[in-house]
Amino acid sequence: MKLSGWWKNRSSAGKVELYTRWSFHFFVLLEIMSIGLAALGAGTGEGSAWVPAVLFLTVVAHSVLVGFLSSRSLDWILGRRERPVRLAVAVASLTAATSLGVLGLRAAGLTGDPAAAPALVAGMTCFAGGTLVLCLRKVRQMRYVAPAAAVFAGLAYLAFGVPAAESAGLAVGVLLTCALISAACGFSGWLLDAVYELDRAREVQAQLAVAEERLRFGRDLHDVMGRNLAVIALKSELAVQLARRERPEAVDQMIEVQRIARESQKEVRDVVRGYREANLAVELEGARGVLHAAGMDCLVEYEEGRELPAEAQSALGWVVREATTNVLRHGDARSCVIRLTAGPSGALTLVVENDGAPRTPAGPPGSGLAGLRERLAVLDGTLEAGPVDGGRFRLRAQIPGPAAGPIRELEARA
């Protein structure tokens, strides 16, 4: 698979997660290359040829277990699985047991290089401590990991006969190194969680925009129909009472009910027409505001002079609506350009172009673009949509004919 396939098609959150995971996978190789190679030279004394192999295999097992713990911890941070408590205990236990075993071999004279044992203990302790930080949620808990690792290393050195001054120096080295690795791991976990939280907030924002539009339509429809339906119900009841009394006024009341019903039908059509036949200038300004609120750099350009026909405004207004929704919901856009131009013949061209678009659609095609093509087809218009060079996505709507004249240029940048 090409680079553009497994990297560009990911969202920003997915890219950050991939980078973070592979960084921790690199820690596995780093531990093996730095500490494991040092273990190969640890046993050079007579009768201790098995020591390098055992220590090297132990370091490899320790690094793989630490890498596995980091992966499980990232899943826990993202809410995909429970906290890997047992695995964390296993890493801590293996680190402690291996450190004590290495110091025991050094005390027994089975390690030819005296400096190899402290290097192994410090390295495994620091790598394990940094990964254990990922299993903690609060900073006040994370800050105790490095001091605890330093205290353990210092006491272990003293217990196996390392001089106090040397033990203190090694403990300080473990403290500083482990604190640095712990800070890097803790920040990586926090950053990954924050990026996904922002991604979820962006999706919720798009859903709220749709819900707000539905509420607006429902409110307008209620305002129109509520009073008229109440009047119809009242007059119908009055007509029933008059009919029971054989009063001729019942006919007049039913005629009035019929008139109000027809007016209500007309008003409902006007409300629906106002919703379906969108005002293009309002839709352009609304798109600019919504995309700006989503943190995008939005440039809106159109010319204005003569009024556009109502049919053209309605069709292009719906194109702007649908395009804005697609920019918010799909891909990972950082900038968007909306441009409306009129040709010499009066043909209108609306272009909506944004970056951060995936090359492969995330799911099956929706009905939004098909609906736009149907609206434009009534005006002999066309709609083209698809990825273009530079990882951008372009939607282009054209309406032929003398639809409008030249217009003044307006530019708004968020």
Side-chain angles (χ1 to χ4, degrees):
M1 184 181 295
K2 296 182 179 179
L3 178 64
S4 59
W6 64 271
W7 177 257
K8 287 189 176 181
N9 289 346
R10 294 177 180 268
S11 63
S12 291
K15 292 176 181 178
V16 173
E17 180 184 357
L18 183 65
Y19 170 78
T20 303
R21 287 187 181 275
W22 278 101
S23 297
F24 283 106
H25 295 338
F26 176 73
F27 278 4
V28 175
L29 297 178
L30 183 62
E31 182 178 356
I32 295 175
M33 297 299 294
S34 60
I35 305 175
L37 294 180
L40 292 177
T44 58
E46 185 177 354
S48 61
W50 54 273
V51 172
V54 172
L55 292 180
F56 178 77
L57 293 177
T58 303
V59 171
V60 171
H62 181 269
S63 61
V64 171
L65 190 61
V66 166
F68 193 56
L69 174 62
S70 65
S71 179
R72 289 296 183 92
S73 299
L74 292 178
D75 289 339
W76 168 69
I77 290 174
L78 298 177
R80 298 172 184 172
R81 63 171 70 244
E82 296 181 356
R83 190 200 305 250
V85 177
R86 294 182 179 179
L87 187 57
V89 172
V91 169
S93 300
L94 178 62
T95 302
T98 303
S99 299
L100 295 177
V102 169
L103 292 175
L105 293 174
R106 179 179 183 274
L110 296 178
T111 57
D113 186 3
L120 291 175
V121 173
M124 288 188 296
T125 303
C126 292
F127 278 108
T131 307
L132 290 174
V133 165
L134 293 174
C135 300
L136 303 175
R137 180 72 71 182
K138 299 179 180 179
V139 177
R140 64 173 177 266
Q141 297 172 343
M142 299 177 183
R143 63 187 181 185
Y144 293 119
V145 173
V151 170
F152 165 77
L155 293 178
Y157 292 148
L158 288 174
F160 284 93
V162 178
E166 185 180 352
S167 298
L170 293 172
V172 171
V174 171
L175 175 64
L176 296 177
T177 306
C178 188
L180 180 61
I181 297 179
S182 299
C185 294
F187 178 77
S188 297
W190 171 83
L191 178 63
L192 184 60
D193 183 46
V195 169
Y196 267 99
E197 188 66 27
L198 290 175
D199 191 65
R200 288 190 291 268
R202 181 180 178 183
E203 179 65 23
V204 170
Q205 185 180 37
Q207 295 175 0
L208 288 177
V210 176
E212 184 179 359
E213 180 64 18
R214 291 175 177 174
L215 287 175
R216 184 195 68 80
F217 179 73
R219 182 178 63 250
D220 293 346
L221 190 61
H222 175 270
D223 293 341
V224 169
M225 293 299 298
R227 178 184 60 84
N228 290 351
L229 288 176
V231 174
I232 289 175
L234 182 61
K235 288 188 172 292
S236 298
E237 183 179 356
L238 178 59
V240 170
Q241 296 296 332
L242 293 174
R244 288 176 178 175
R245 298 175 186 177
E246 299 182 354
R247 299 284 297 273
E249 291 87 348
V251 177
D252 296 332
Q253 294 298 327
M254 291 308 300
I255 293 175
E256 183 69 12
V257 168
Q258 186 181 40
R259 183 187 66 79
I260 296 175
R262 288 176 177 174
E263 288 183 355
S264 300
Q265 186 179 28
K266 179 179 179 298
E267 291 179 355
V268 170
R269 288 173 179 171
D270 291 339
V271 171
V272 175
R273 185 179 300 111
Y275 177 75
R276 299 181 64 182
E277 296 181 1
N279 183 280
L280 183 56
V282 174
E283 293 302 328
L284 288 171
E285 179 61 23
R288 186 202 65 79
V290 169
L291 296 178
H292 168 66
M296 301 181 196
D297 182 23
C298 181
L299 179 65
V300 178
E301 296 178 348
Y302 69 95
E303 300 176 347
E304 187 179 32
R306 295 183 182 177
E307 290 293 332
L308 299 180
E311 297 81 1
Q313 284 212 44
S314 174
L316 294 179
W318 267 98
V319 172
V320 174
R321 281 187 186 179
E322 181 67 22
T324 304
T325 302
N326 290 339
V327 171
L328 287 172
R329 288 186 173 180
H330 308 298
D332 184 30
R334 288 293 176 268
S335 65
C336 180
V337 175
I338 304 176
R339 182 179 297 109
L340 175 64
T341 57
S345 63
L348 295 173
T349 302
L350 176 66
V351 176
V352 180
E353 185 173 326
N354 62 277
D355 62 355
R359 290 185 176 273
T360 304
S367 59
L369 296 181
L372 294 180
R373 289 189 174 94
E374 293 177 359
R375 292 177 182 274
L376 293 172
V378 176
L379 303 175
D380 296 328
T382 59
L383 179 71
E384 299 175 358
V388 294
D389 295 339
R392 303 181 67 84
F393 188 89
R394 179 183 298 163
L395 185 146
R396 185 191 200 91
Q398 291 182 310
I399 298 179
I407 34 185
R408 102 181 134 86
E409 184 174 343
L410 172 86
E411 181 175 305
R413 179 181 291 274

